[in-house]
Amino acid sequence: MGIFEIVGSRRVGLESCEFDVVLQSGDVFAGEIFLIKEKGSLWEYIIISVERRVGCITLGCVTWLPASGAFVGLRGSTRAMNATDRKRYAKALPEHLRMPKRAD
């Protein structure tokens, strides 16, 4: 689980977007979810890729973004996907994120 501040956001397509974030604690991983509460609305984003850069991290996400630049300055925190989340987002998730990894 990671806590971060959003410093940039952009639409990449109708159903995908990217967030540039500055990590404040913890770490973020592909397959996690983060929620944003803004003006009474709850937005849920599924992280499908994490690209570490100097000074920030770019999160590739599934879900619609209202506009490029949305949510800049807000803080978010991630959580692991549970079975209900994986079922809900099965069609949107890449194959390698659909099933949890087993620790054998």
Side-chain angles (χ1 to χ4, degrees):
M1 183 176 121
I3 298 172
F4 55 84
E5 180 178 347
I6 299 169
V7 295
S9 64
R10 58 199 157 274
R11 292 176 77 174
V12 179
L14 185 61
E15 294 291 325
S16 60
C17 60
E18 293 180 340
F19 290 94
D20 294 326
V21 302
V22 175
L23 201 57
Q24 296 176 340
S25 69
D27 206 353
V28 293
F29 301 98
E32 291 185 324
I33 290 178
F34 70 92
L35 303 173
I36 296 175
K37 292 180 184 177
E38 193 253 351
K39 296 182 182 176
S41 296
L42 183 63
W43 300 81
E44 189 170 67
Y45 290 92
I46 303 97
I47 302 169
I48 59 170
S49 67
V50 177
E51 184 178 338
R52 299 181 191 286
R53 300 175 183 215
V54 176
C56 72
I57 299 172
T58 300
L59 306 177
C61 299
V62 174
T63 306
W64 180 76
L65 183 69
S68 292
F71 310 129
V72 171
L74 297 180
R75 290 179 57 171
S77 64
T78 62
R79 66 171 177 82
M81 264 200 276
N82 57 36
T84 304
D85 296 324
R86 283 190 296 277
K87 184 175 181 179
R88 180 185 313 138
Y89 296 115
K91 291 182 181 179
L93 291 174
E95 185 67 34
H96 68 283
L97 296 177
R98 289 184 189 170
M99 295 301 295
K101 295 179 183 171
R102 292 183 181 184
D104 291 333

